[in-house]
Amino acid sequence: MFIRSVSAIALSCSLADPALAAEAATTEVAVDDTQSIVVTGQRPEYGAEKTCTATRTCTDIKDVPQAMTVISESQIEDQDLRSIADILTFVPGATPGTGEGNRDQITLRGNNTTADFFVDGIRDDVQYFRDLYNVDRVEVLRGSNAMIFGRGGGGGVVNRVTKRSSLNEYREFAISGDSEGGVRLTGDLDQPLGLNAGLRVNGVYENGESFRPNVELERYAVNPTVGILAGPDTRIDLSYEFFHDRRTADRGLPSQNGDPVEGHDSVFFGDPDKSYADADVHIGTFAVEHSFGEGLTLRNRTLYGDYDKFYQNIYPSSAVSGGTLSLSAYNDTITRENLFSQSDLVWENQLGGIDQTLLIGFELGRQESRQRRLNGFFAITGQANRRSSTPVPVESPTIDADVVFLPFNTTAPCTPPAIGLCTPSNFTEGEASVTAIYVQDQIRLSPAFEIVAGLRFDRFSLDVTNLSNNAEFSRTDELLSPRIGFIAKPMPDLSLYASYSRSYLPQSGDQFGSLDVTSEALEPEKFDNYEVGAKWEPVEGLLATAAVYQLDRTNTRAVDPVTNLTVLTGAQRSRGLELGLERSVSDRWQISAGYAWQKAEITERTTACNPASQRCEVPLVPRHQFALWNRYDVSDALGLGLGVIARSKSFASISNNVTLPGYARVDAAVFYELADNIEAQVNIENLFGADYFPTAHNDNNIAPGAPTTARATLRFRF
């Protein structure tokens, strides 16, 4: 019989009943959306019915007035997804970037970000690659989201909902290997500790290989959590995660004549031994929830994160011309400590005979960061001086570089004794703090009409010291972020909505490390999202969604070519249609599908655009995007999976000089139950060997897609 941990959501964010927790492992326990339970005799579904993230109250997804996609643990396992980039491939309106081979970087509705990542609704904005070993599901919310999440979130956010103790007994272990020689081990142990407490431990170890030569990965992590029922109305959760990720920083291929260079998908451009990223992450969380009765609930979640990140890369920095290209180099050391505390008071009540859910909350946060960049200088044969770049032939671009890393930034020779005259590279120390208060009301005027209205006030302060010259800069932004949505339900299974929301991003970059004498005085970037949509259940358990949106981004920076001053003249508009289909068609058929038509253009041009172009399109935004994944269980023992990913062409950067060709990729899988609670699966990625380039970081850091790759997994559940 099939047994596994699945997500369940109570009708509200109520606490688990201690009496239920003491029953057998086949009993469903009433918990909120971040807790897993154990169910026997059925397959868990894709997607989710409710979310406690999008509105900070546990709400049916049909009643959330914005587009969102939920990738559940079940789908993650079936497709063998291992990264945020894998997840984003199946989300309409989303494109993963390469992140220079050292971090998650995404584009949502035409807006690029390295910071709009959250874990259980709390900011997780440091630049590193996240794993999926301990997630119950991943929620991707599109549109401006500052009312719920704070600054940023202009195009959307990615939220990981992590597993916690179900107070039931459950175990799952899996071992996986692939055709490139990689190995991955995962474990999930859920163990009751008496009637009112439980321990859950998730862990992963992976030693990965790639079709790209000399590109390797090693990561490991452990995440123990403890759940405690401190009485019938109070639950406490404690969690600690240690995560280590070390990998080759592979920045891909250069371009040639406006296209990715041909015939070099399996060639490393640069020095693989000196190109690597190393991240160590420690995250501790404390969560408590107490029900006062009468529909009144108070909860707090506090997170402390300590992040150490180093990366170094020797990478292609020019296009191929005359059979050669240039390589450049730098490294970055980043440390950050995050401390956030969120408190929410939720009151479900009737006022004047009208049902409503009132949310009042506040957030306090503090982030301390230090970042130092060193630039690489190469020894050139036959020359006395080192140079900031080195030419290499395109036919042999993998080198063993004689390079030194120095705290200077220059395009001219930089050698002693003149080295002191060179411009210092980035070396900063920053402290950011946020104080926020927010109010939201979900007013149900009738069973057929609902209003969701909210307003958030943030006071965001940033102090940055340039440690190269001790110059100090600061700014304080007071931001009001509104959101309003109207929901009409002409039928019980159909919701129609219209919404407006606004987000802000202070002029210090999404990592708030680029503050200077100019940017400290500029108004924040502004994101206004207008959206209409529908959510429909054509059959029980299947959710179809549609959204039409316009997202305007203003106050982007540009350099005035006449005065040479930085001014707020840039503006961008994204428009699109997003269609989604997720969950289950039947007991045997699970599906996840999405299509997006999107157009994102610079409406007020900046100098980054190609002046010869009649238009300036935002990079990594294909006009058409389609993804489909199915799992169909032929019998109780045998299941089959089939998926298609297709995208039209897009640009590699805002210059619009290099085009990534459109492509289509087919994936497949076979699942077979060898014995009770022992399942084998084989996943084939790129079944027909398509040659494609899914993403890029700029015109000369283009990622080639992997050829046909097989992964085999053996999973034990008991």
Side-chain angles (χ1 to χ4, degrees), residues 116 123 144-147 149-154 455-458 460 477-482 500-507 523-528 554-555:
D116 290 327
R123 189 172 296 274
S144 303
N145 281 276
M147 193 268 131
F149 295 97
R151 72 179 190 273
L455 182 66
R456 177 180 178 123
F457 171 78
D458 284 87
F460 177 72
D477 293 281
E478 295 184 344
L479 311 173
L480 279 174
S481 304
Y500 164 77
S501 58
R502 171 176 287 180
S503 290
Y504 291 96
L505 181 64
Q507 297 281 357
E523 292 293 319
E525 290 190 72
K526 186 170 64 176
F527 304 80
D528 290 296
T554 54
N555 286 351

Side-chain angles (χ1 to χ4, degrees), residues 208-326:
E209 303 287 341
S210 171
F211 73 100
R212 304 267 295 154
N214 306 304
V215 175
E216 300 176 344
L217 158 70
E218 183 180 45
R219 56 182 164 186
Y220 46 85
V222 62
N223 179 203
T225 68
V226 176
I228 303 169
L229 296 179
D233 302 314
T234 305
R235 172 158 177 151
I236 299 171
D237 286 279
L238 302 169
S239 173
Y240 165 73
E241 179 183 13
F242 170 70
F243 178 73
H244 171 79
D245 184 289
R246 182 183 174 95
R247 64 180 65 212
T248 306
D250 178 15
R251 293 185 56 167
L253 316 177
S255 64
Q256 185 174 23
N257 299 324
D259 295 304
V261 65
E262 295 184 359
H264 290 74
D265 291 10
S266 298
V267 177
F268 192 94
F269 285 77
D271 185 338
D273 294 331
K274 297 183 178 66
S275 300
Y276 62 95
D278 202 332
D280 286 304
V281 177
H282 301 264
I283 297 177
T285 60
F286 167 82
V288 60
E289 182 175 330
H290 177 75
S291 173
F292 294 96
E294 303 298 326
L296 191 63
T297 302
L298 177 66
R299 59 174 178 263
N300 171 269
R301 179 175 289 272
T302 300
L303 178 148
Y304 170 77
D306 182 86
Y307 307 82
D308 285 310
K309 167 78 178 296
F310 175 83
Y311 71 94
Q312 178 171 287
N313 51 165
I314 299 172
Y315 63 96
S317 56
S318 77
V320 176
S321 178
T324 65
L325 69 145
S326 294

Side-chain angles (χ1 to χ4, degrees), residues 108-111 528-530 549-553 572-576 598-601 603 618 621:
L108 296 172
R109 290 188 172 175
N111 292 276
D528 290 296
N529 188 80
Y530 307 86
Y549 69 88
Q550 176 176 299
L551 198 163
D552 290 321
R553 179 178 185 174
Q572 172 185 319
R573 170 167 289 177
S574 302
R575 288 176 170 171
Q598 50 190 343
K599 183 178 182 180
E601 293 186 312
T603 54
V618 176
V621 182

Side-chain angles (χ1 to χ4, degrees), residues 694-707:
T695 189
H697 181 70
N698 56 40
D699 287 347
N700 296 299
N701 291 178
I702 301 169

Side-chain angles (χ1 to χ4, degrees), residues 533-587:
K535 299 181 181 182
W536 177 43
E537 289 190 29
V539 297
E540 184 179 359
L542 181 66
L543 180 66
T545 62
V548 178
Y549 69 88
Q550 176 176 299
L551 198 163
D552 290 321
R553 179 178 185 174
T554 54
N555 286 351
T556 60
R557 284 182 282 174
V559 177
D560 188 305
V562 177
T563 66
N564 205 35
L565 298 176
T566 299
V567 292
L568 299 181
T569 61
Q572 172 185 319
R573 170 167 289 177
S574 302
R575 288 176 170 171
L577 164 69
E578 296 170 353
L579 305 176
L581 191 66
E582 60 187 54
R583 303 184 193 171
S584 57
V585 180
S586 67
D587 291 341

